[in-house]
Amino acid sequence: MTISGKTRVCGVIGDPIEHTLSPAIQNAAFNNLKLDFVFLPFKVRSAELENAMRGMRGLGIHGLNVTMPHKKAVTGFLDEIDQTAKFLGAVNTILNDDGRLCGFNTDGVGALKALKENGVTLSGQKVLLLGAGGAAKAIAFSLAKEVGELVILNRATEKAKELAKALKRTSNEKVTSDMLSPKAMQKHLQDAGLLINATSVGMHPNAGESLIAARWLKPELVVMDIVYNPLETSLMKDAKAKGAQVINGIEMLIHQGAASFEIWTGRSAPIEVMRKAVLNELRSAGASK
Ligand code: ATR
């Protein structure tokens, strides 16, 4: 990589930011397509978010990813926000379009692409979504109009109810919510074709945990987990053992990164290069533990 006076600067803002995988993914993609872009991590404390956005304008930073804890708050400092990000009340990608800061949210599109690229049929399918936090909301928004039926279960039931209500009104009559109880999960899994864990259950350091009992799983089910640390969660292990197709959390991460890349560069993202980069990064992070 050669930095010149013409190099466009992109990056990611968040706090903490030390463990971000985005620089590895994005720089690998820029290098692969020989684009004169560079991607850097920026640790931005909440009290400095407004200054950081001024910095983006002042320094002419071309694009940013936005991660915890700024996805909601950053919406107050942008000139324009696209429909999806507006519905979600959260932005994960900013494009500096000649001084106009435009906000997008690529999380849901990332999940949708991850499913489609892995050959999952969505049309007519009953989908069981666990979670109603930021990631779950983005996934639900993208999936609602593509699937036959969507059932959202969340520990805080009220959040699932509200999300289902909003989506029912705007995208699909057949979006409902239920309690995150063993009884409800078991019932919905009987005729669901796709199960998505969009909660943090199963994430390091609680890697052994799963909301779903292995005996409720079946070979015809597709299981996607958004958790990517560990790469294979307990839920995924159980699903694999039953002969079900599994899609890991890296896929959503790569495809949401790819969608951001396309917003900043106008080029098709080199998915395989991005996948290799993230797997390398995870391997070396694991090795240095
Ligand atoms: P993200 O942006 O990654 O989605 P989040 O908005 O904090 O993070 O959402 C975390 C999700 O995991 C929520 O759906 C949360 O459920 P609550 O809304 O009830 O808090 C879910 N979650 C986290 N820990 C959980 C647990 N032990 N059991 C069930 N759900 C859990």
Side-chain angles (χ1 to χ4, degrees):
M1 178 200 315
T2 315
I3 308 281
S4 77
K6 292 184 204 147
T7 304
R8 290 194 160 182
V9 178
C10 292
V12 54
I13 58 169
D15 183 18
I17 204 65
E18 290 76 10
H19 299 293
T20 177
L21 297 168
S22 298
I25 300 177
Q26 298 294 346
N27 284 317
F30 293 151
N31 287 340
N32 180 260
L33 295 187
K34 300 196 168 41
L35 298 175
D36 194 5
F37 280 66
V38 66
F39 191 98
L40 302 167
F42 297 105
K43 178 164 176 159
V44 174
R45 294 199 174 80
S46 289
E48 293 296 333
L49 182 61
E50 187 170 4
N51 279 336
M53 287 301 102
R54 284 209 194 96
M56 185 180 190
R57 286 180 206 276
L59 297 170
I61 290 175
H62 180 68
L64 286 177
N65 273 145
V66 182
T67 184
M68 296 302 291
H70 305 314
K71 286 184 176 191
K72 273 193 199 332
V74 82
T75 58
F77 304 117
L78 305 176
D79 299 308
E80 228 173 88
I81 295 175
D82 88 333
Q83 284 292 98
T84 308
K86 227 178 245 168
F87 176 89
L88 300 173
V91 158
N92 81 334
T93 304
I94 307 172
L95 171 70
N96 185 346
D97 185 11
D98 240 344
R100 282 187 73 71
L101 301 189
C102 309
F104 304 85
N105 192 309
T106 65
D107 286 337
V109 166
L112 198 61
K113 274 251 172 90
L115 290 165
K116 286 185 174 171
E117 300 264 315
N118 281 282
V120 179
T121 311
L122 295 173
S123 169
Q125 195 80 267
K126 172 171 172 178
V127 181
L128 184 58
L129 176 67
L130 310 180
K137 218 172 157 185
I139 294 171
F141 179 77
S142 286
L143 240 61
K145 45 192 176 304
E146 305 264 342
V147 301
E149 189 182 343
L150 175 64
V151 184
I152 306 168
L153 311 185
N154 195 50
R155 181 177 59 181
T157 319
E158 211 41 47
K159 269 161 75 180
K161 219 185 214 172
E162 250 174 57
L163 177 57
K165 204 169 126 194
L167 290 171
K168 197 184 176 87
R169 212 174 38 234
T170 54
S171 347
N172 186 339
E173 258 296 291
K174 289 192 148 185
V175 183
T176 56
S177 66
D178 208 337
M179 292 187 9
L180 188 81
S181 66
K183 200 173 153 201
M185 287 190 274
Q186 189 174 11
K187 180 184 93 182
H188 290 295
L189 278 173
Q190 276 167 15
D191 58 346
L194 172 62
L195 166 69
I196 302 175
N197 175 45
T199 74
S200 48
V201 176
M203 191 190 291
H204 173 81
N206 302 311
E209 294 178 1
S210 171
L211 291 169
I212 300 290
R215 65 179 186 283
W216 303 339
L217 299 167
K218 53 189 182 184
E220 309 80 58
L221 195 67
V222 178
V223 177
M224 179 159 98
D225 203 328
I226 70 160
V227 172
Y228 60 79
N229 181 17
L231 258 183
E232 191 171 71
T233 59
S234 249
L235 170 62
M236 287 171 57
K237 272 187 201 141
D238 291 343
K240 244 189 193 169
K242 285 276 164 166
Q245 181 185 353
V246 298
I247 300 171
N248 69 26
I250 289 299
E251 293 301 301
M252 174 167 160
L253 184 75
I254 293 166
H255 285 284
Q256 60 93 5
S260 298
F261 176 95
E262 288 170 7
I263 288 170
W264 299 323
T265 66
R267 300 282 298 272
S268 259
I271 300 294
E272 202 39 53
V273 168
M274 295 170 112
R275 184 178 290 118
K276 256 195 202 136
V278 76
L279 289 174
N280 268 342
E281 192 67 14
L282 284 173
R283 233 170 266 134
S284 53
S288 67
K289 256 183 206 161

